[in-house]
Amino acid sequence: MAAIVATDLSKTYRFHRKAPGLRGSIASLFRRETLETRAVDGVSFAIEAGEVVGFLGPNGAGKTTTLKMLCGLLYPSGGAARVLGHTPARREAAYLRRIALVMGQKNMLWWDIPAMETLLLHKEMYGLAEAEFRRTTDELAEILEVGHLLRVQVRKLSLGERMKMELLAALVHHPEVLFLDEPTIGLDVVAQGRVRDFLHRLNREYGTTILLTSHYMDDIEQLCPRVLVIDRGWLEFDGALATLVERAAPHKIVSAVFAAPVPRAVARAALPGLDAGDAEELLKISLTAPREEVADVAERLLRLGRIVDLSVEEAPVEEIIRGIFRPAADPVVAGGGRS
Amino acid sequence: MSAARTLRVVWRLTAVNVMMTLEYRGAFLIYMFNTVADPTISLLVWLAVADQGVALPYDRAQFVTYYVMLSVTAMLTATWLGSYLAEAIRLGKLSPFLLRPAPYILGMVGNNLGEKIIKLPLLLPLVGLVAIFFRHDLRLPTDPRAWALYLLSLPLAATVAFLLDYVIGSLAFWVEDVNGLLRIRTLLGAFLAGQYVPLALFPGELSGLLAAQPFRYTLSFPLEILTGQLSGTALAAGFAWQAGYCIGLWALYRLLWRFGLRAYSAAGA
């Protein structure tokens, strides 16, 4: 059975717009323009238990809104969400005990006291037995390498350490489904890597189903075999990251470094369309080629001279993703009535 | 959540708040000084008035007893959650808590109890000093029943005050700024609770109204018990009002949160 099912899930926010300045403020007392924005517009997908799925999209695409509907913080305006057989918006205790949400920009831990105190609170809230609580805490603290920091005030911890503690606090009750909203935001490269390793291990060892949003493509590339791409509330893609890359970027980058410089005219003759710049002689040639022509291009490069290095690479995923999203238009889709 | 687990969660939250409050103990000492200073100044004013020979429904001893016990009673029944709650609702700070299987109100209960546990030992020596100063006029009840009734009315008073604030703060689900309303509640509430002037000193025509309004049950009622103003019937009626307000405000809180969370969840959480 799928752990997470979204069927035609939609969310419309209503808000008011007023003209700028004092006049606008006064006028808005009598007449306000009500606008609606469709943050999520009929999104459907299913995620099996044990999957790790990445949620991609530009800012304002509807990722966080979808995540919040799935964990029960937001009522959907339309469609339905089912997670572990529960309707999230009901926020039943039996449901909340089986999930967790970690938001990179909102903390759950109390700032002035050690993280251990929050863990002890969670022990009572989730009704965990002493032995089970100790075992889980020790285990998670060891994997996250924060055992020695459990009794240090949270505000004295580094950003990376704090994020690890947030994860620990969110996981102490062994949630079956973990929602992560930008879990590595603001962390340095090393800390990002540690958090990723941990999530990977969590999924492998405990079978935790993970749905995460991230702006860092490294998170997605290393953790998520499957991605959902959402843009302006629409689900644009659902499938393997490799398929997305192939579909979105039918080109590869072929680069060669030569032992001796190649005259520009020779290179251009062999590789029509090569943008060689102003240099008369080239020591390194790099060009994009359609996937089916990569072998041919490589062969032509080899004929230009003795090569010391040759590489064929995918275009950077980050660039590919950026390319998928069309320039954002005005997100306001429908002007409602006046109130 | 079972009652036992709720108590364990409240205890944990209280402990957490005690720890956090200890971080700011210096500031709390100053608050407690104010808590004692204000009633002492009022007391001095009333004693001066009484010395002028003005006929008042209170005698010297009653004034002293009332104001000396006011600081402790006011501290133990105080609330400060309204603006915090409103801010949590307005800025979406409620969200991390809403995903835990325990009601949000427990966090506020823990905060309230935790701070009071720290404040009490800071306050008592200061009150002791004032009591020693006015020892000749201080007349605390000797009947243990009066103390028992006072101790019974105290948590009820704290509950009425807490729920009043909680209900007003909860209006932030719909109203952008509830601070004005909270300020009115604080000023009017303090006045109608007998914080500045004992309710017995108000014009007699108002006594019916004063007895029915909720603020009396947040502070004045326990003090009226201690100063020995209440007959058997008045006592019973007072407790009935107090319990009634607890139940009514609780029901109102539940109703507001039922619809409020829907509004919160619709707006963006």
Side-chain angles (χ1 to χ4, degrees), chain A residues 68 74-75 108 122 124 155, chain B residues 5 8 23 100 265 269:
Chain A
K68 283 181 172 176
L74 282 178
Y75 280 88
M108 199 147 64
H122 282 192
E124 302 301 350
R155 65 177 144 128
Chain B
R5 194 190 294 160
R8 283 203 300 273
E23 292 287 314
R100 293 163 166 169
S265 306

Side-chain angles (χ1 to χ4, degrees), chain A residues 38-60:
Chain A
R38 214 163 290 160
V40 176
D41 194 1
V43 165
S44 299
F45 58 83
I47 295 172
E48 294 300 318
E51 268 195 279
V52 183
V53 178
F55 215 174
L56 292 175
N59 285 334

Side-chain angles (χ1 to χ4, degrees), chain B residues 124-144:
Chain B
L124 285 179
L126 294 173
V127 175
L129 285 177
V130 179
I132 290 168
F133 188 79
F134 289 105
R135 63 190 174 283
H136 299 303
D137 287 310
L138 184 66
R139 213 166 44 219
L140 290 169
T142 46
D143 182 2

Side-chain angles (χ1 to χ4, degrees), chain B residues 145-184:
Chain B
R145 262 184 317 179
W147 284 102
L149 290 172
Y150 170 76
L151 289 177
L152 175 66
S153 72
L154 211 53
L156 289 172
T159 307
V160 173
F162 180 90
L163 286 173
L164 259 173
D165 255 21
Y166 209 85
V167 161
I168 296 173
S170 302
L171 296 178
F173 280 125
W174 301 276
V175 183
E176 209 128 310
D177 188 2
V178 296
N179 281 323
L181 214 56
L182 284 166
R183 242 190 318 271
I184 294 173

Side-chain angles (χ1 to χ4, degrees), chain A residues 2-3 8 134 195 260 267 273 297 304 328:
Chain A
D8 215 11
R134 291 280 157 212
V195 169
V297 169
L304 286 176

